[in-house]
DNA sequence: GAGGCTATTATCCAATAGTCGAATCCGGTT
DNA sequence: AACCGGATTCGACTATTGGATAATAGCCTC
């Protein structure tokens, strides 16, 4: 849709759209339509998610629970070139997880069709099914898939899908990174 | 490890172990070793995660930040057959998301080897690599994979991996669907 | 108009994935 | 001891995937 509406002034983007996992779309749109301010509208209000949205290039974040007035103020602010987040959200000290940044960058380099194909890989579809849905030959899809694997630096579609999954809405800040044995007794 | 220590009295399980995504291991262990009380020990303290742990059959949840005394009390309670969660966590109204329950049930039906193979699929490994790591022929792995696909009711490994990913630690309560509304931290 | 990038398709080939049937092993029963 | 159901193992066969190469066409830029 973004491709077909290149003259839009503003984009409202819902995280967790079916068929597009988490921040993938945001990361791609930010690079391929840099002049299109994007506001995340989400039911989530987790500070970690808000921060990640901004890190991925969103111009604003407006929880669905916001009163109309806030929505309006947010839109005005973003159209004025500002970054808008709910009150009380601290954006300092923000740096994107390096692994996540790497994946986002790879996504950015994809062409529109390649991105589309990748999202469909993420639904576990066969090349043949993707070809049918997009109305092109399977050979074309294979070419796209090959290009995607190369750009994402992975060896097969499953790994590509797993990489994309890392941009899902989950709360990395809540996890731990250390690990050690767990044992029983 | 659980398979090799069938006589254990209690299992401490860390969510997000490398190679086992989220609640997968818990779901499987609960069905295949029903008499083994399992306590989740995690750095996370999100009420949603704690609730999901109990829903998946954990006997207790102890945040890593807990003082020793609490840890001890929790262990005693669980060994006495009780369910232990941090103070202030409300467990009422608990029903597992139906899609998630379906996946957990499918996982439960897997044999030890099949489960192991599935977890390795989740790392994007080739059949050949799995075969090597487990010291069996590739044909054997293929057979296991086929069995897994059948039990999980999917058509290919990518779909199987995606299903397992749904049991990752992410906070469904933070996404749309209404209800909850606990902003952590 | 030339050069560069994307998209499309095709063909050929090697590797990987998935299905089927069958042999073997193992624990528990009869 | 014979039997049974299952888990595990494996080889043969087929389908899908991924890589390499090439050709055509459209689009944008210089």
């Amino acid at each position: 849709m973004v491709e077909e509406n290149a003259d839009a002034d503003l984009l409202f983007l819902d995280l967790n759209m079916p068929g597009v996992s988490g921040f993938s779309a945001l990361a791609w749109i930010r690079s391929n339509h840099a002049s299109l301010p994007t506001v995340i509208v989400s039911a989530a209000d987790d500070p970690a998610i808000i921060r990640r949205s901004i890190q991925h290039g969103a111009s604003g974040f407006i929880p669905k629970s916001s009163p109309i007035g806030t929505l309006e103020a947010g839109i005005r602010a973003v159209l004025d070139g500002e970054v808008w987040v709910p009150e009380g959200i601290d954006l300092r000290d923000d740096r994107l997880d390096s692994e996540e940044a790497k994946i986002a960058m790879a996504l950015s380099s994809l062409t529109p069709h390649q991105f589309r194909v990748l999202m469909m890989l993420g639904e576990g579809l066969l090349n043949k099914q993707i070809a049918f849905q997009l109305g092109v030959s399977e050979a074309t899809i294979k070419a796209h898939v090959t290009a995607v694997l190369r750009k994402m630096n992975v060896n097969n579609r499953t790994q590509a899908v797993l990489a994309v999954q890392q941009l899902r809405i989950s709360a990395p800040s809540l996890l731990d990174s250390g690990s050690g044995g767990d044992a029983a007794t």
Side-chain angles (χ1 to χ4, degrees), chain A residues 114-141:
Chain A
Q114 286 167 1
F115 184 75
R116 192 104 197 276
V117 168
L118 175 56
M119 292 300 106
M120 295 175 87
L121 288 184
E123 297 170 40
L125 299 179
L126 300 177
N127 289 338
K128 198 181 300 184
Q129 295 174 305
I130 298 174
F132 177 75
Q133 285 189 33
L134 297 186
V136 296
S137 91
E138 189 179 345
T140 304
I141 301 304

Side-chain angles (χ1 to χ4, degrees), chain A residues 4-16:
Chain A
E4 292 161 5
N5 294 281
D7 59 335
D9 295 313
L10 184 65
L11 170 67
F12 292 105
L13 184 65
D14 191 338
L15 295 178
N16 85 305

Side-chain angles (χ1 to χ4, degrees), chain A residues 39-47 50 60-68 70-71 74 84-87 89:
Chain A
V39 175
I40 302 299
V41 181
S42 170
D45 59 351
D46 183 335
I50 298 177
F61 190 106
I62 304 179
K64 283 185 180 167
S65 55
S66 304
I68 301 283
T70 304
L71 178 63
W84 176 274
V85 293
E87 281 180 42
I89 298 297

Side-chain angles (χ1 to χ4, degrees), chain A residues 102-118:
Chain A
K102 223 177 290 177
I103 297 169
M105 202 173 315
L107 288 185
S108 300
S109 74
L110 299 179
T111 69
H113 278 40
Q114 286 167 1
F115 184 75
R116 192 104 197 276
V117 168
L118 175 56

